[in-house]
Amino acid sequence: MTVKIDVKGPIISNDEAWIYEWFDMDFTSPKTVIDQLANANGENVIVSINSPGGYVDDGSEIYTALKAYPGHVETQIVGLAASAASFIATAGDKVVIAPTAKFMIHNASMGNLGDHRSMEKASQMLKTTDRTIVNAYVLKTGKDEQELLDMMAEETWMGPQEALEHNFVDEIMFMDNPIKLTASSAISAMIPQKIIDSFRNGMINKGKPEGVTKEDLKASLAEFKNEILNELQLNKTNEPKEPTLKPANKRDLSKLFLSL
């Protein structure tokens, strides 16, 4: 029996998953994939990917779980495999892409605030993160590390044929004589960080020191759900390519992200 696992929507942390569930939004967290791999119990797995990317560390956890899985793993890029989702895609024993799908790699990025030392530290962390990400691409493509780093720095978009030519994928689905497709842009579906921070820090639950709970959220925000969803839809048009994160001196710098 073959087990199908979806990697859809942004790549997020386990502790943010309930927020996306509440808004009925697609997401993928390490737990969602690891639990399904455990249930697959060594059977062949097909991982269907349509994701704009997300947090690097959580993407790394998913990548590692797929690489370590004892059964055969085929990753299928059915829509978009961008940023963190792109290196997750390379974890498959076999990587295939739909003729209408896209593949994108780029540098990690993060928000930061502080003096010149903080900026230098953030810069070094980003460079280190890029070099850890590129390891997955080297393993898959056999390309030189510097060539891949240059492609990441240029934010390289690939259609199926380009992805095949660069060895990021092994096969284009349904096609014996694949044609080149034009890469295009996509918009992040990640919930804006300010909303997640509001949930976490208790800004919307009357100052309770323990912070907002799932029950508090449902009770206090039920009537505003459509309004917030409308704001999220507006953000899809107006937000920058990367969601805004907390200043480096006020958050865990290990939570870098790759996202459109």
Side-chain angles (χ1 to χ4, degrees):
M1 181 180 72
T2 299
V3 177
K4 183 173 180 290
I5 297 175
D6 285 335
V7 174
K8 303 293 174 65
I11 310 301
I12 62 168
S13 62
N14 293 328
D15 58 357
E16 292 177 3
W18 69 270
I19 302 174
Y20 285 78
E21 288 175 342
W22 193 76
F23 283 106
D24 296 321
M25 295 176 66
D26 287 336
F27 71 91
T28 302
S29 68
K31 187 176 187 302
T32 61
V33 175
I34 291 170
D35 286 352
Q36 291 179 86
L37 288 174
N39 291 333
N41 196 30
E43 297 283 352
N44 291 345
V45 168
I46 290 178
V47 182
S48 178
I49 300 174
N50 184 15
S51 170
Y55 294 129
V56 173
D57 290 346
D58 298 287
S60 177
E61 190 173 353
I62 294 169
Y63 171 87
T64 304
L66 292 174
K67 290 292 283 186
Y69 182 69
H72 183 270
V73 176
E74 178 176 311
T75 52
Q76 297 183 349
I77 304 165
V78 300
L80 174 66
S83 310
S86 68
F87 65 77
I88 290 173
T90 67
D93 299 305
K94 181 178 181 181
V95 184
V96 301
I97 186 170
T100 53
K102 298 180 288 293
F103 192 93
M104 188 273 276
I105 63 175
H106 68 172
N107 287 345
S109 64
M110 61 181 289
N112 187 53
L113 181 67
D115 64 14
H116 66 93
R117 296 166 299 176
S118 176
M119 297 297 182
E120 289 171 358
K121 184 178 293 185
S123 175
Q124 184 57 48
M125 178 173 292
L126 288 170
K127 291 176 182 178
T128 299
T129 301
D130 289 341
R131 284 186 167 83
T132 63
I133 292 167
V134 83
N135 288 333
Y137 302 144
V138 169
L139 286 172
K140 176 57 185 170
T141 67
K143 287 181 175 292
D144 177 74
E145 178 186 88
Q146 189 56 54
E147 179 184 356
L148 289 162
L149 286 171
D150 291 342
M151 292 177 70
M152 291 169 63
E154 292 298 321
E155 185 177 297
T156 301
W157 285 86
M158 288 166 270
Q161 183 64 31
E162 291 89 350
L164 182 63
E165 290 171 356
H166 286 289
N167 297 323
F168 287 103
V169 302
D170 302 308
E171 181 181 306
I172 299 176
M173 301 164 68
F174 319 125
M175 299 183 71
D176 294 326
N177 298 301
I179 58 175
K180 288 189 176 183
L181 302 177
T182 302
S184 63
S185 62
I187 298 172
S188 172
M190 295 185 78
I191 294 176
Q193 192 68 34
K194 66 179 180 180
I195 295 179
I196 291 176
D197 292 343
S198 294
F199 295 165
R200 283 222 172 114
N201 299 332
M203 293 170 59
I204 57 175
N205 78 332
K206 310 300 183 185
K208 289 174 64 177
E210 66 271 20
V212 71
T213 66
K214 196 179 299 188
E215 290 70 26
D216 292 329
L217 180 65
K218 289 181 179 179
S220 61
L221 290 187
E223 61 185 286
F224 301 114
K225 183 174 180 180
N226 288 335
E227 180 181 340
I228 293 175
L229 287 173
N230 287 337
E231 180 181 344
L232 291 176
Q233 186 63 38
L234 180 62
N235 283 337
K236 284 188 175 183
T237 302
N238 297 331
E239 70 181 359
K241 287 188 175 181
E242 304 288 354
T244 302
L245 299 182
K246 294 179 183 177
N249 60 349
K250 294 184 179 179
R251 69 186 305 275
D252 180 2
L253 289 182
S254 65
K255 180 148 287 191
L256 302 171
F257 58 86
L258 280 168
S259 182
L260 293 179

